[in-house]
Amino acid sequence: MTTLLMTNDAGLDHVMPPGHPEQIARLEAINAALSAPEFSTLLRRTAPMAEMADLTLAHPKAYVDAVRNAAPSAGMIQLDGDTSMSPGTWEAALRGVGGNLAAVDAVLSGEATNAFVVTRPPGHHAEASRAMGFCLFGSVAIAAKHALERHGLNRVAILDFDVHHGNGTQELLWDEERTLFISSHQMPLYPGSGATHEQGVYGNIINVPLDPGSGGEVMRQIYGSRIFPKLRDYAPELILVSAGFDAHADDPLANLNWSTEDFAWLTREICQVAADVCAGRVVSSLEGGYDLFALAEAAAVHVLTLSEA
């Protein structure tokens, strides 16, 4: 068992407005937690830069060009009400995508069994031609396309347990019959999408709304009875995970009230399905999580559980 940890310092140069929850300190907190001795066996790599051909696997070239041209040389610009760019954002976004693609390469080649990509900005709210919700490019959706188009896979599953619905991933994979996208998320909550009737062109989208305050026990019951059986029946060749830790009880942006141990349980169960159907191949990518202590603790237990799978 080898777990790859894909990081990049460019994420520390992506500056958001003062007081913004998607802050540099998020990466600093995770990096500090993952420097503990129990993580000494991780295979550590620096995320490479994505190329234009990578981004256009899921986004129109005109949109990619517009984002690149908007990047400021100084100061900050707004792409939407809560998504900004600073001089370091472009490289951070490209390394976030590139890190996910390199992690897929490593896992599919057998160099690593599974991987965790520590990246910001996140990606699951980025739609085909619109940055939103702190996200510029759909990193995990692009990684799925990469696995399909360049590695020849026929079935890739994406499991998104961020507290917010992955509307961008859903849009980018809406008509991709070689993928299964499953999102659990609090509802009602931003961005307002993710109803059960949103199923994709080929029935390849499964949305599982969760009630505010429902807690970890309800989550475990729903995942055990509904989500994991669907995932297992699909028998993917690779499982991608949008790992948002903002369902934690201490997170300021939502209130699903999961515990750190709930994330450990969820990771163990994902790894068990992966072991049964796709030789353990899991690539997980950081999405949300905005209480720094809860984020660091949950991300650490996620990685530790991946390494013990």
Side-chain angles (χ1 to χ4, degrees), residues 17-242:
H20 197 287
E22 209 293 277
Q23 56 184 303
I24 292 170
R26 297 179 67 236
L27 286 195
E28 294 173 334
I30 293 174
N31 289 340
L34 297 182
S35 68
E38 56 263 39
F39 300 104
S40 62
T41 61
L42 297 177
L43 174 62
R44 295 174 183 258
R45 294 275 172 81
T46 297
M49 296 270 284
E51 305 288 343
M52 175 64 75
D54 301 322
L55 302 175
T56 55
L57 286 170
H59 296 280
K61 183 177 183 298
Y63 169 69
V64 177
D65 287 340
V67 175
R68 178 177 56 192
N69 294 336
S73 58
M76 193 178 302
I77 62 102
Q78 291 286 129
L79 296 179
D80 85 338
D82 52 19
T83 309
S84 301
M85 292 188 77
S86 69
T89 301
W90 177 251
E91 180 177 347
L94 262 60
R95 289 194 184 275
V97 174
N100 275 277
L101 303 192
V104 167
D105 292 342
V107 167
L108 291 182
S109 72
E111 183 182 11
T113 307
N114 55 44
F116 183 56
V117 185
V118 183
T119 182
R120 60 177 295 272
H124 75 150
H125 292 309
E127 296 184 342
S129 297
R130 180 165 70 141
M132 62 179 290
F134 318 159
C135 304
L136 276 68
F137 300 117
S139 302
V140 173
I142 295 171
K145 291 281 195 177
H146 175 72
L148 296 167
E149 301 297 339
R150 295 169 175 167
H151 287 278
L153 270 58
N154 295 306
R155 296 181 312 282
V156 174
I158 302 93
L159 181 59
D160 186 335
F161 60 72
D162 190 283
V163 79
H164 302 94
H165 179 239
N167 61 294
T169 307
Q170 174 172 289
E171 181 187 277
L172 294 171
L173 300 178
W174 185 259
D175 59 355
E176 178 49 79
E177 63 179 331
R178 297 169 294 176
T179 60
L180 176 69
F181 175 60
I182 304 176
S183 175
S184 69
H185 44 273
Q186 180 177 320
M187 184 178 279
L189 193 66
Y190 178 92
S193 55
T196 56
H197 65 78
E198 299 168 22
Q199 298 179 358
V201 172
Y202 301 100
N204 56 307
I205 308 290
I206 299 174
N207 284 306
V208 184
L210 301 172
D211 292 334
S214 53
E217 184 176 344
V218 169
M219 178 275 289
R220 295 187 191 207
Q221 190 277 325
I222 289 175
Y223 266 82
S225 65
R226 294 173 53 191
I227 294 178
F228 288 131
K230 289 281 190 183
L231 186 61
R232 191 179 296 276
D233 288 346
Y234 182 67
E237 298 161 288
L238 172 69
I239 298 175
L240 304 178
V241 179
S242 273

